[in-house]
Amino acid sequence: NAGVMQNPRHLVRRRGQEARLRCSPMKGHSHVYWYRQLPEEGLKFMVYLQKENIIDESGMPKERFSAEFPKEGPSILRIQQVVRGDSAAYFCASSPGRSNEQYFGPGTRLTVT
Amino acid sequence: GQNIDQPTEMTATEGAIVQINCTYQTSGFNGLFWYQQHAGEAPTFLSYNVLDGLEEKGRFSSFLSRSKGYSYLLLKELQMKDSASYLCAPTYSGAGSYQLTFGKGTKLSVIP
């Protein structure tokens, strides 16, 4: 009974490159949430998606960041032209419905050099 | 913001009891989650309180006072593996009710 899966677990990118983070929700969950945890900070909500729909992206930076959750396959958080300030842990969570009982994945730790 | 306030760090002895407090903004408040996060790992669910009072679950209990905007997590019979950060996350009604809003967390160190 697999939980939320994220890959890669660790990602190193040079400034200006693109980062793609993947999240597969728990089986039977169709709602995905992305959170970012900066060093020494709390988790901050970024975006909430359902299959093929972005429901709320109010926590996403306006530029360089995008997210999708296609009909087939994992949810993708994409960061273009990464900068050092993007270095953080990015957590994905999923829920069976529009709920706040969310189950978290192990996170992707992005390091921008 | 939700003005979440919890102590930054706490230290307690193995076998002891520790209480981690959290205060938050009450306007629009719905319920409050506590999560545990070990270093480098994902947050894991501990409790969810909606009603006033104490809810006990094994060694961990969580208390809520809606009128005071106050919650605490009580850990009994502390074990070394309880060393972790404990995250208080109030939720609010409205369009963004699914957004978990976390405080910075309380880093608990359990010492022998």
Side-chain angles (χ1 to χ4, degrees), chain A residues 35 37 56 98 100 102 105 109, chain B residues 33 35 40 42 98-100:
Chain A
Y35 291 82
Q37 187 172 33
D56 181 352
R98 185 190 177 99
N100 47 22
Q102 298 170 21
R109 274 144 193 88
Chain B
F33 285 86
Y35 279 80
Y98 41 78
Q99 294 184 18
L100 294 182

Side-chain angles (χ1 to χ4, degrees), chain A residues 3-89:
Chain A
V4 178
M5 298 175 68
Q6 291 187 247
N7 70 81
R9 294 292 305 274
H10 300 274
L11 182 62
V12 179
R13 285 287 178 266
R14 287 195 296 270
R15 279 182 297 168
Q17 291 185 318
E18 177 180 287
R20 278 183 176 246
L21 288 62
R22 295 175 188 76
C23 169
S24 296
M26 282 182 72
K27 188 176 181 179
H29 288 192
S30 59
H31 298 244
V32 165
Y33 315 80
W34 285 93
Y35 291 82
R36 177 166 66 172
Q37 187 172 33
L38 293 168
E40 307 303 321
E41 295 288 328
L43 283 87
K44 303 294 185 191
F45 169 82
M46 298 181 74
V47 61
Y48 163 37
L49 309 104
Q50 295 179 31
K51 287 282 187 181
E52 300 185 279
N53 283 303
I54 297 174
I55 307 302
D56 181 352
E57 55 182 350
S58 60
M60 288 263 279
K62 293 289 184 279
E63 297 177 353
R64 302 187 297 109
F65 284 70
S66 62
E68 62 176 10
F69 189 15
K71 187 176 181 181
E72 302 290 337
S75 174
I76 307 284
L77 179 67
R78 183 181 176 208
I79 311 172
Q80 295 178 290
Q81 299 173 343
V82 295
V83 300
R84 288 222 172 100
D86 296 333
S87 295

Side-chain angles (χ1 to χ4, degrees), chain B residues 41-102:
Chain B
E41 297 184 13
T44 54
F45 170 83
L46 290 178
S47 65
Y48 179 55
N49 293 63
V50 176
L51 302 177
D52 284 348
L54 184 69
E55 291 195 10
E56 300 186 61
K57 194 185 294 185
R59 294 190 299 114
F60 292 9
S61 303
S62 55
F63 171 85
L64 180 69
S65 169
R66 298 179 67 94
S67 61
K68 294 181 180 177
Y70 169 67
S71 174
Y72 67 73
L73 182 69
L74 192 70
L75 291 75
K76 303 177 189 175
E77 300 170 17
L78 280 173
Q79 301 175 8
M80 299 300 290
K81 67 178 182 179
D82 297 331
S83 293
S85 288
Y86 291 86
L87 313 179
C88 166
T91 62
Y92 294 85
S93 56
S97 61
Y98 41 78
Q99 294 184 18
L100 294 182
T101 303
F102 290 92

Side-chain angles (χ1 to χ4, degrees), chain B residues 3-21:
Chain B
N3 297 324
I4 303 164
D5 189 28
Q6 51 181 131
T8 305
E9 293 184 24
M10 297 182 73
T11 301
T13 306
E14 193 175 13
I17 299 173
V18 70
Q19 178 175 312
I20 302 174
N21 297 324

